[in-house]
Amino acid sequence: MYIDFWTKKYNNCYEQNTGKKVMSMEKVNIDWSNLGFGYIQTKERYVSCYRDGAWDEGVLTGDANIVLNECAGVLQYAQTIFEGLKAYATDGGHIVAFRPDLNGERMEASARRLEMPAFPRERFVEAVTKTVAANRDYVPPYGSGATLYIRPFMFGSNSVIGVKPADEYQFRIFCTPVGPYFKGGAKPLTICVSDFDRAAPHGTGNIKAGLNYAMSLHAIVSAHKNGFDENMYLDPGTRTKVEETGGANFLFVTKDNKIVTPKSDSILPSITRRSLVHVAKEYLGMEVEEREVLFEEVKDFAECGLCGTAAVISPVGKVVDHGREICFPSGMTEMGPVTRKLYDTLTGIQMGEIEAPKGWIHIIE
C-alpha cells in the first residue's frame, strides 16, 4: 500500500528521497521483553506542511531529520505543540490505536490557543493510521508488555524575528516502540508539593504546548535531587487546590470508594483520565466526582494515582509537603485495590481483552 511514496518531490519542505522501498512483513529484531521507555528510530514518519494558508496533502518519508533556519518561529518563540498516544497489538490479532480522535481534537484546541493553523482531526486520525501502518514491523507483539508510542507534533517553521505567529508550519508524526513505563511493575511513587507553579491563571495549562513542559523541567529535576519521583502542583491563583503533576492528571479514591478528580481551567484534559472516569462509572459502577480538590482533603483519601498515556495509572504512596508526610492507606508496595481495578479494566479494553465502548478502538490493520 505504501510502496512508491519514496519517489515524491516535496517542494523544498522535505528532504527529497529517490528510489523505491518495499516494506518488510517481518518484525524487526528487538528484544521486546527488555525494551525500555526510550526512542528507537523507525522506518517512516508523516509530514505535512502549511504554506500560503493551506495544508498540503502530506507524505510519508524515511528521513528522520528536520532542517530549519536559525530564525524559525519554533526556535525563537517556542511555537510548538504535541500529542502522545499508543498503538497496540490486540488479543484478536489487530493493530489498533486508542481514541486518536480525542488526541486530534485536543491538538486542534492547542493550535488555536497558540495562533497556529489547526490540523483537521479527521486528517490527524488518517495520518496516525498511515504512520502506524507504515511501521507495522515495529508494533510489539501482544502480551510483550510493550507498545508503539506515537508522537504527533507541530511547529512554526519559517523565519520570525518580530514577536508574532509564524506563517508556515510543519505537522509531523513519528513513532517508536517502548517498553512498560515502569520496569518490574508500577511501585507507588513519593511526590512532593512543588514551590513552583506549573501554569499561570488564564494561561496555557490546559493545552499540550511544549512551553508548559519546558517550565516544569527545573521543578522535576529539583524534585529528583531531593529524592522525590514527581511534583504535585497547586493552583497558581490561591495555592490551596490540587491541580496536576508536570505531565499527568490526579485521580483520588475516597475511603468509601468514590473516585475524585480535580477540575480546573488550567489542567490539561487527559484522555486517559477521561477514559478512566468512564470505566469507573460504566464498567465498575462507581460514583465519580469531578470537582475542585482542596489540598487539605488529600490526607483523607484512601488511594491516589497519576493518569497519563505512558503508564495509564501510576500509583502514589506518599505526598510530602515541606517535611509533612501524607501516607495513603494503600501503602508503598503496590497499587491500591480500586486503582488496580481501574488499571486492569482500561488496559484490558485497550488490548482487546474487554469489550470497548463504541469508537474507543481505532483499528489500523
Side-chain angles (χ1 to χ4, degrees), residues 1-2 25 93-96 129 132-134 136 362-365:
M1 180 163 52
Y2 304 109
M25 294 305 291
H94 294 292
I95 296 174
V96 305
T129 302
V132 174
R136 62 174 71 86
H362 175 69
I363 298 177
I364 293 171
E365 288 194 344

Side-chain angles (χ1 to χ4, degrees), residues 312-348:
V312 182
I313 307 179
S314 307
V316 175
K318 184 191 300 184
V319 177
V320 180
D321 178 21
H322 300 87
R324 172 195 172 203
E325 293 188 352
I326 300 172
C327 301
F328 296 102
S330 52
M332 292 296 297
T333 57
E334 58 185 3
M335 281 188 179
V338 175
T339 304
R340 171 57 66 182
K341 286 181 183 178
L342 289 167
Y343 175 86
D344 288 345
T345 305
L346 185 57
T347 54

Side-chain angles (χ1 to χ4, degrees), residues 193-216:
V193 176
S194 181
D195 290 325
F196 300 97
D197 291 331
R198 175 188 161 272
H202 313 295
T204 58
N206 63 342
I207 66 170
K208 205 165 178 68
L211 58 91
N212 293 341
Y213 293 79
M215 289 173 62
S216 73

Side-chain angles (χ1 to χ4, degrees), residues 27 86-98 132-133 136 139-143 146-148 349-353 361-365:
K27 293 290 183 186
K86 289 181 177 180
Y88 311 80
T90 69
D91 190 19
H94 294 292
I95 296 174
V96 305
F98 183 68
V132 174
R136 62 174 71 86
V139 178
Y142 171 77
T147 55
L148 188 73
I349 289 170
Q350 292 173 333
M351 294 296 180
E353 300 162 351
I361 303 299
H362 175 69
I363 298 177
I364 293 171
E365 288 194 344

